[in-house]
């Protein structure tokens, strides 16, 4: 017999161990069936499970478990990312605690130390994924720095270089002055800061008393200005285009150029151009062939390209000095307070500097063309579809991709430099030496490029490198291209787009057929979770408190396409209650000897209530399956939840109770078998969402007479229900009528504050012959479930004074409540409640009609107000309906 209480912690550890030990997650066990492949976005090896992980990995696991049950050869490919900067910082902090730096160890010893850390502590995230119930093929786990993936990375770099698609260039990058490396846009955090806008006057050469005023938030960068730009159609400056201004402090002459980048509507319409320290200015500089003067060193201190008195100064100290000197020269026109978005390194916490430096770049524009075409033609489809617009916007305006990083942990770039700095890009040093000897005509010494590759470079190869490429493996042939990528919108540019480019270039096929973009998990107020706000919810804490299944089901039920998830702990508690409801229903079935019958055929049940539940189960299995396949996860969760809690527990088991307690042996046996079968089907359909409790119940419900009788397979390996030929329209209509009638009476009792113990009659007017027949069959059930004194069918003499009327199909149910409740008092209560809601709705309408509020309030605050109004409007509608019924009484 099932215990009274479900204990998730015991069950979860037990079943996960059994699944792993029996190889339940392994791909390749159904070689004759169609494969189904998902690539796990490799979490950082330094990482630990956060709520975004919990969502994305739950959805991927649902898909994997579902298609595994549908008979597909499911491969969910797991692995972790070496996370270059993040991992290096972890180990550098350890060294700092020992009073050392990586330079004290040297490169080789430092790398050895990182590998040691990875071996000891790098498995935290994968252990936590197991706690979440994730079912990838762990036997195939990969790491972006393992030998196979490293081989793939070297080949891709060398091949792209030989094809002219990787090259070395001097361009602007996001430079982290603390970590001394270029970083990707994803590692740059834009923060709103309160700063200033300084307006400087630049004298026009040869025109005494004539100035052009420019504005800047970074005064120190003026020392690297190489032009002033004005719009070609701005008549204020037409006569000045082609002339020079004298750059204050430096005395350099710089040209006035015409460029559409300058906005005549903004400020003075003239902008200073610093090509070496601003991404937009860099493009202007290229268009006009301007000098690019780099004024910073790697620490963001001013270098030898500025006047002597500024050399060696910190950039922010130099800012103060520039402003003071401009003011002393009479060239500071004004200073405005200004709110700006400033870039910070997400790991170093310092202001990022656009810096001109030699780096390795990928010709992303060329690689992007086939990737754009693949989405345009539908070879790869975004779900929801609107995300393809974001993809196109970025891909059609893609810039060269900087792939070199000035750190030690990562894939070292396979490039060696000769005495004159000519690079030789080859797979091995031996091949590079041979290429250099051929180039120079004699043997030379080469120096290896010290830089490593951006981690996005190796992860861009993930869909095929993990399957054995560049070798032609059976896995590569079978599982590529993959079926779907499940990920967040924030890495469409950084990972999704790059996988598309690399997959098409090296495999000739898209890496995935669908890209499902899920939303963010926010707190219950709709705010983004962050440590600074103190609103971070730890998924492991929720698993400890409510069980893994409750968290998984909560996230799934809230995962509506295109809508962020507002997560409150109370939601998880609610779905824990769903687990309890399921457990209690199974226990009820066990207590009533509802045991699985091996020869049970759902198509052959005779009794109406059993034909009804069989048909409802078939509809639910189909509906849930269709929703999963369409990535409508919330609809899938809602479908099985409503059937389990509502149709099965609240209705079918209630209908079954009198049968279990009756004397009809045949009806009792059929209903017991049907209840056991329906519970089995619920466990099947729920399994992808709530794997632990379903597996436990599946196992325990197989016990008969206290003796374990394990099923042929564990539930994880069972087939998804295929229920054909079991729908019975007549039984469906009959029992749905019973449900509607009882529900209508219960609603009246609730709305009118009828005491639970109160009994009263129900008079059914204008009932058709079909309705009368149904009532004769189910009279006792209806009376019991609706707590009625009696039910009478009549067309005349129905008492109307103090009676409430409810229409159910063609008939009218008349409920005399005058003797049960105080009609006048109830009318007054309802009127008061409606007035209160009217007041709340009016307050919200006032806010939502206020343009100032809409402009200033955060989007999540506005959305919260709209949701409140919707809730209050629905509540009011119910109360108005109840009042109308009473008024007609």
């Amino acid at each position: 017999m099932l215990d009274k209480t479900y204990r998730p912690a015991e069950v979860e550890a037990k079943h996960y161990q059994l699944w792993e030990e029996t190889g339940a997650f392994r791909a390749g066990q159904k070689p004759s069936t169609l494969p189904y492949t998902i690539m796990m976005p490799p979490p950082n090896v330094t990482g630990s499970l956060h709520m975004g992980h919990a969502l994305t990995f739950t959805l991927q696991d649902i898909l994997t478990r579902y298609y595994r049950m549908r008979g597909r050869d499911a491969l969910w490919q797991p692995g972790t990312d070496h996370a270059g900067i993040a991992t290096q910082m972890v180990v550098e902090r350890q060294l700092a605690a020992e009073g050392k730096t990586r330079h004290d160890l040297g490169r080789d010893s430092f790398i050895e130390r990182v590998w040691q850390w990875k071996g000891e502590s790098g498995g935290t995230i994968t252990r936590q994924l197991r706690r979440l119930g994730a079912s990838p093929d762990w036997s195939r786990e990969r790491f972006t720095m393992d030998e196979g993936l490293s081989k793939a990375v070297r080949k891709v770099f060398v091949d792209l270089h030989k094809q002219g698609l990787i090259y070395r260039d001097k361009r602007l990058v996001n430079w982290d002055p603390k970590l001394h490396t270029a970083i990707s846009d994803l590692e740059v955090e834009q923060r709103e800061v309160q700063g200033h806008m300084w307006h400087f006057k630049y004298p026009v050469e040869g025109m005494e008393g004539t100035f052009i005023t420019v504005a800047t938030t970074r005064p120190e960068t003026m020392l690297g200005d190489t032009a002033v730009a004005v719009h070609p159609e701005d008549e204020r400056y037409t006569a000045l285009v082609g002339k020079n201004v004298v750059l204050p402090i430096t005395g350099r002459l710089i040209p006035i150029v015409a460029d559409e980048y300058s906005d005549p509507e903004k400020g003075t319409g003239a902008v200073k151009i610093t090509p070496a320290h601003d991404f937009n200015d860099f493009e202007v500089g290229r268009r006009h062939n301007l000098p690019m003067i780099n004024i910073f060193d790697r620490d963001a201190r001013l270098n030898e390209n500025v006047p002597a008195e500024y050399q060696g100064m910190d950039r922010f100290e130099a800012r103060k000095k520039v402003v003071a000197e401009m003011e002393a020269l009479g060239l500071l026109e004004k200073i405005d307070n200004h709110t700006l978005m400033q870039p910070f390194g997400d790991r170093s916490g310092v202001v990022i500097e656009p810096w001109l430096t030699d780096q390795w770049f990928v010709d992303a524009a060329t690689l992007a063309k086939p990737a754009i075409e693949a989405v345009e033609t539908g070879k790869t489809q975004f779900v929801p579809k609107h995300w393809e617009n974001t993809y196109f916007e970025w891909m059609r305006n893609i810039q060269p991709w900087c792939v070199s990083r000035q750190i030690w942990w990562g894939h070292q770039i396979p490039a060696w430099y000769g005495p004159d700095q000519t690079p030789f890009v080859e797979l091995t040093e031996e091949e590079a030496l041979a290429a250099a000897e051929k180039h120079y005509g004699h043997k030379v010494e080469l120096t290896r490029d010290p830089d490593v590759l951006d981690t996005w470079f190796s992860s861009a190869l993930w869909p095929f490198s993990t399957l054995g490429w560049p070798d032609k493996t059976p896995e590569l042939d079978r599982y590529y291209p993959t079926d779907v990528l499940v990920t967040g919108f924030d890495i469409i540019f950084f990972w999704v787009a790059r996988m598309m480019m690399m997959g098409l270039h090296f495999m000739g096929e898209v890496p995935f057929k669908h890209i499902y973009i899920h939303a963010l998990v926010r707190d219950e107020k709709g705010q983004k979770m962050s440590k600074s706000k103190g609103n971070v919810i730890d998924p492991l804490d929720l698993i400890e408190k409510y069980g893994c299944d409750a968290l998984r089901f909560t996230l799934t039920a809230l995962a509506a396409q295109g809508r962020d998830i507002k997560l409150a702990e109370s939601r998880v508690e609610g779905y824990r209650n769903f687990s309890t409801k399921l457990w209690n229903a199974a226990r009820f079935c066990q207590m009533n000897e509802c045991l699985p019958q091996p020869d049970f055929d759902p198509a052959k049940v005779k009794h109406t209530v059993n034909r009804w539940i069989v048909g409802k189960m078939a509809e639910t299995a189909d509906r849930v399956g269709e929703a999963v396949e369409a990535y409508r996860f919330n609809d899938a969760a809602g479908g099985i939840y409503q059937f389990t809690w509502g149709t099965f527990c609240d209705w079918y088991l209630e209908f079954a109770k009198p049968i279990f307690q009756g004397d009809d042996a045949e009806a009792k046996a059929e209903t017991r078998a049907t209840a056991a079968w329906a519970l089995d089907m619920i466990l099947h359909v729920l399994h992808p969402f709530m794997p632990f409790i379903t597996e436990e119940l599946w196992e325990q419900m197989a016990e008969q007479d206290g003796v374990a009788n394990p099923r042929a397979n564990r539930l994880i390996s069972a087939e998804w229900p295929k229920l054909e030929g079991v729908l019975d329209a007549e039984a469906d209509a009959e029992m749905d009528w019973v449900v509607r009638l009882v529900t209508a009476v219960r609603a009246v009792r609730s709305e009118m504050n009828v005491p639970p113990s109160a009994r009263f009659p129900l008079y059914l007017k204008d009932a058709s012959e079909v309705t009368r027949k149904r009532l004769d069959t189910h009279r006792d059930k209806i009376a019991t479930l609706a707590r009625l004194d009696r039910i009478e069918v009549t067309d005349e003499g129905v008492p109307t004074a103090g009676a409430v009327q409810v229409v159910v199909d063609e008939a009218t149910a008349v409920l005399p409540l005058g003797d049960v409740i105080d009609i006048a008092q109830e009318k007054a209560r309802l009127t008061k409640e409606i007035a209160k809601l009217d007041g709340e709705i009016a307050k919200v309408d006032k806010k939502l009609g206020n343009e100032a509020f809409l402009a200033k309030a955060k989007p999540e605050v506005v959305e919260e107000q709209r949701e409140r109004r919707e809730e209050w409007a629905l509540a009011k509608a119910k109360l108005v309906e109840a009042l109308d019924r009473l008024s007609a009484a």
Side-chain angles (χ1 to χ4, degrees):
M1 176 63 67
L2 286 167
D3 289 342
K4 285 186 177 180
T5 308
Y6 173 56
R7 290 186 286 274
E10 297 172 19
V11 167
E12 289 166 10
K14 175 183 77 171
H15 285 299
Y16 201 91
Q17 184 179 349
L18 283 168
W19 288 331
E20 276 209 84
E21 286 175 355
T22 56
F25 305 156
R26 289 198 176 190
Q29 298 182 73
K30 300 173 183 175
S32 61
T33 64
L34 195 64
Y36 181 82
T37 316
I38 297 182
M39 287 287 154
M40 177 184 288
N44 287 354
V45 71
T46 57
S48 59
L49 196 71
H50 57 63
M51 204 53 79
H53 287 137
L55 172 63
T56 191
F57 292 128
T58 293
L59 299 183
Q60 290 171 61
D61 191 53
I62 288 168
L63 290 166
T64 303
R65 287 177 183 270
Y66 171 76
Y67 280 103
R68 193 184 281 132
M69 293 178 79
R70 291 304 297 252
R72 301 277 290 270
D73 175 17
L75 168 62
W76 184 13
Q77 172 62 54
T80 49
D81 189 277
H82 63 279
I85 293 174
T87 306
Q88 178 156 320
M89 285 184 70
V90 167
V91 179
E92 286 201 73
R93 279 196 295 269
Q94 292 177 351
L95 290 173
E98 300 167 15
K100 299 177 185 174
T101 71
R102 62 183 160 118
H103 301 286
D104 294 326
L105 270 68
R107 184 169 190 139
D108 291 344
S109 296
F110 177 76
I111 296 300
E112 198 175 301
R113 178 75 178 256
V114 181
W115 276 108
Q116 181 186 338
W117 174 86
K118 191 261 179 187
E120 293 171 359
S121 309
T124 299
I125 186 73
T126 53
R127 286 192 296 273
Q128 291 172 339
L129 283 175
R130 287 170 165 87
R131 290 288 311 277
L132 190 66
S135 64
D137 186 346
W138 290 115
S139 68
R140 297 186 50 82
E141 185 178 351
R142 303 303 299 269
F143 178 54
T144 48
M145 286 278 286
D146 70 30
E147 182 45 46
L149 269 65
S150 296
K151 177 182 176 183
V153 167
R154 289 192 297 272
K155 178 166 175 56
V156 166
F157 190 94
V158 171
D159 285 1
L160 288 176
H161 181 264
K162 292 185 186 304
Q163 293 161 13
L165 295 171
I166 280 184
Y167 56 91
R168 195 153 173 81
D169 194 10
K170 188 181 285 290
R171 290 183 65 94
L172 279 191
V173 296
N174 297 310
W175 184 259
D176 189 313
K178 182 178 179 181
L179 299 179
H180 296 148
T181 181
I183 61 175
S184 74
D185 288 344
L186 192 64
E187 293 156 319
V188 176
E189 187 179 297
Q190 298 290 343
R191 298 183 199 165
E192 189 177 278
V193 292
Q194 299 304 314
H196 298 91
M197 182 75 78
W198 287 270
H199 297 256
F200 293 155
K201 296 191 294 185
Y202 287 2
V204 179
E205 181 194 21
M207 298 177 68
E208 193 171 344
T210 301
F211 302 90
I212 282 187
T213 299
V214 296
T216 181
T217 59
R218 301 161 68 211
E220 67 280 7
T221 62
M222 70 161 289
L223 300 174
D225 285 1
T226 56
V228 171
V230 297
H231 196 276
E233 296 174 8
D234 192 335
E235 295 177 357
R236 293 172 295 177
Y237 301 112
T238 305
L240 297 178
V241 172
K243 296 185 181 297
N244 294 322
V245 297
V246 180
L247 184 65
I249 302 176
T250 69
R252 280 191 290 111
L253 295 179
I254 60 174
I256 300 168
V257 299
D259 194 280
E260 290 186 352
Y261 168 62
S262 179
D263 183 354
E265 303 296 322
K266 194 173 177 182
T268 64
V271 290
K272 61 189 281 302
I273 302 299
T274 321
H277 298 289
D278 181 278
F279 289 100
N280 291 315
D281 292 4
F282 178 82
E283 297 302 328
V284 176
R286 287 229 161 165
R287 286 196 289 273
H288 296 275
N289 201 26
L290 298 173
M292 301 201 180
I293 302 174
N294 192 349
I295 64 167
F296 294 130
D297 64 14
R298 70 177 198 154
D299 295 308
R301 291 183 174 276
L302 277 70
N303 62 18
E304 68 281 359
N305 294 326
V306 299
E309 65 270 24
Y310 284 89
Q311 292 177 16
M313 288 186 77
D314 172 80
R315 53 185 162 165
F316 299 117
E317 288 301 314
R319 175 176 298 179
K320 295 174 187 173
K321 185 173 173 63
V322 165
V323 172
E325 192 164 349
M326 290 295 282
E327 187 171 24
L329 292 169
L331 298 176
L332 175 61
E333 186 173 282
K334 63 176 179 173
I335 305 173
D336 292 331
N337 291 326
H338 182 68
T339 301
L340 68 152
M341 298 304 292
Q342 197 164 36
F344 288 80
D346 67 347
R347 301 198 180 278
S348 66
V350 302
V351 176
I352 295 305
E353 200 63 56
W355 199 45
L356 192 64
T357 178
D358 289 307
Q359 302 282 352
W360 289 96
F361 292 89
V362 171
D363 179 357
T366 298
L367 291 175
K369 288 173 186 171
I372 292 168
E373 186 266 344
V375 175
E376 285 175 336
T377 57
K379 291 175 189 171
T380 293
Q381 297 174 357
F382 277 88
V383 182
K385 186 176 172 60
H386 68 81
W387 285 112
E388 70 180 28
N389 297 327
T390 305
Y391 173 83
F392 287 141
E393 174 67 22
W394 190 73
M395 292 289 269
R396 288 167 180 159
N397 296 283
I398 199 166
Q399 298 297 306
W401 170 19
C402 175
V403 292
S404 43
R405 298 288 181 267
Q406 290 66 54
I407 57 175
W408 287 355
W409 172 244
H411 295 101
Q412 193 170 353
I413 289 172
W416 290 261
Y417 297 99
D420 59 357
Q421 294 303 297
T422 298
F424 297 92
V425 176
E426 301 291 346
L427 290 172
T428 65
E429 186 173 7
E430 290 71 28
E431 290 176 38
L433 285 165
E437 185 176 349
K438 184 177 178 182
H439 174 79
Y440 292 111
H442 57 85
K443 289 184 178 180
V444 295
E445 284 191 11
L446 298 178
T447 304
R448 177 84 183 258
D449 192 313
D451 290 354
V452 300
L453 285 163
D454 173 16
T455 53
W456 295 108
F457 190 90
S458 50
S459 58
L461 319 181
W462 191 252
F464 54 94
S465 63
T466 51
L467 298 174
W469 188 92
D471 297 335
K472 293 184 177 179
T473 64
E475 291 84 0
L476 188 64
D477 184 54
R478 179 159 177 74
Y479 298 111
Y480 188 96
T482 70
D483 288 84
V484 62
L485 176 75
V486 178
T487 188
F489 65 84
D490 52 337
I491 55 174
I492 290 177
F493 318 137
F494 300 97
W495 192 45
V496 177
R498 288 168 165 88
M499 284 190 289
M500 288 287 287
M501 292 189 284
M502 293 300 194
L504 283 160
H505 191 77
F506 286 97
M507 295 296 297
E509 286 185 86
V510 294
F512 18 73
K513 297 160 193 153
H514 293 114
I515 301 168
Y516 173 73
I517 302 293
H518 62 71
L520 285 176
V521 184
R522 299 180 178 272
D523 72 7
E524 60 187 304
K525 294 178 181 175
Q527 296 184 334
K528 194 170 181 179
M529 292 186 195
S530 70
K531 289 179 182 176
S532 60
K533 290 178 185 172
N535 64 344
V536 173
I537 304 173
D538 188 332
L540 295 169
D541 289 345
L542 295 178
I543 289 173
E544 287 287 344
K545 196 168 181 180
Y546 301 109
C548 176
D549 289 326
L551 174 63
R552 287 171 59 114
F553 203 85
T554 304
L555 292 170
T556 310
L558 297 176
Q561 288 184 14
R563 289 185 64 180
D564 285 347
I565 289 174
K566 292 182 182 178
L567 184 66
E569 188 171 326
S570 58
R571 295 268 196 165
V572 187
E573 185 179 9
Y575 288 114
R576 189 272 312 275
N577 297 342
F578 178 49
S579 296
T580 303
K581 183 82 171 177
L582 176 64
W583 187 265
N584 290 341
R587 200 163 184 274
F588 173 84
C589 287
Q590 229 182 23
M591 289 167 66
N592 284 278
E593 301 176 50
C594 304
L595 301 170
Q597 302 299 317
D599 57 349
F600 180 80
D601 184 351
K604 292 182 179 176
V605 293
K606 298 174 184 174
H607 292 266
T608 303
V609 70
N610 295 328
R611 298 202 311 273
W612 173 71
I613 198 66
V614 163
K616 290 293 186 187
M617 184 69 249
E619 285 178 353
T620 300
D622 288 347
R623 192 163 68 248
V624 172
E626 287 167 6
V628 170
E629 291 175 26
Y631 310 108
R632 290 183 284 104
F633 295 101
N634 61 313
D635 291 341
I640 187 58
Y641 177 90
Q642 288 155 19
F643 176 81
T644 304
W645 190 303
T647 308
F648 182 73
C649 295
D650 286 353
W651 292 109
Y652 177 70
L653 293 184
E654 290 299 319
F655 293 153
K657 278 180 184 177
I659 301 175
F660 293 154
Q661 295 158 8
D663 298 326
D664 187 334
E666 186 273 331
K668 190 183 293 187
E670 181 186 280
T671 305
R672 282 172 171 168
T674 305
W677 172 87
L679 179 61
D680 258 6
M681 293 302 100
I682 286 171
L683 299 181
H684 279 73
V685 176
L686 255 179
H687 179 75
F689 310 93
M690 304 178 86
F692 292 111
I693 191 172
T694 52
E695 189 75 83
E696 179 68 11
L697 287 172
W698 171 257
E699 180 181 278
Q700 292 216 34
M701 293 302 286
E703 292 186 7
Q704 296 187 27
D705 301 321
V707 179
N709 177 23
R711 318 239 181 177
N713 295 304
R714 299 187 63 75
L715 183 57
I716 191 174
S717 307
E719 288 187 4
W720 186 264
K722 296 173 186 172
L723 305 174
E724 296 175 357
V726 297
L727 296 178
D728 187 320
E730 191 176 319
D732 195 48
E734 184 171 327
M735 296 312 299
D736 281 356
W737 175 84
V738 174
V739 169
R740 284 198 301 279
L741 180 57
V742 173
T743 301
V745 176
R746 285 176 171 177
V748 168
R749 296 186 72 112
S750 173
E751 290 163 4
M752 306 302 177
N753 269 346
V754 176
S757 60
R759 304 275 171 167
F760 49 84
L762 181 152
Y763 298 97
L764 206 59
K765 277 175 53 181
D766 305 325
S768 67
E769 197 57 43
V770 171
T771 295
R772 290 167 185 259
K773 188 176 177 183
R774 288 171 178 170
L775 183 59
D776 287 341
T777 306
H778 301 288
R779 186 184 302 271
D780 291 343
K781 286 190 190 77
I782 296 166
T784 301
L785 294 172
R787 295 180 183 175
L788 296 169
D789 177 45
R790 66 187 185 278
I791 305 173
E792 293 183 16
V793 178
T794 180
D795 293 329
E796 54 188 47
V798 176
T800 55
V804 171
Q805 299 186 23
V806 184
V807 176
V808 179
D809 297 351
E810 85 294 346
T812 301
V814 182
L815 305 167
L817 299 179
D819 295 335
V820 180
I821 61 171
D822 185 325
I823 300 290
Q825 186 180 348
E826 195 55 31
K827 281 184 182 179
R829 183 187 71 82
L830 291 170
T831 303
K832 186 177 178 182
E833 288 290 328
I834 291 166
K836 185 179 175 184
L837 286 172
D838 276 334
E840 297 292 355
I841 291 169
K843 283 181 196 173
V844 175
D845 284 345
K846 189 175 179 182
K847 277 187 182 178
L848 295 175
N850 184 335
E851 291 299 328
F853 169 76
L854 294 175
K856 290 180 182 178
K858 291 182 178 179
E860 57 263 28
V861 173
V862 175
E863 181 61 24
E864 186 181 1
Q865 293 295 315
R866 287 189 175 128
E867 286 178 4
R868 279 185 185 174
R869 191 200 186 287
E870 190 177 336
E871 286 173 16
W872 287 331
L874 287 170
K876 178 189 167 185
K878 286 185 178 179
L879 293 174
V880 168
E881 186 180 352
L883 184 60
D884 288 344
R885 284 180 185 151
L886 275 182
S887 299

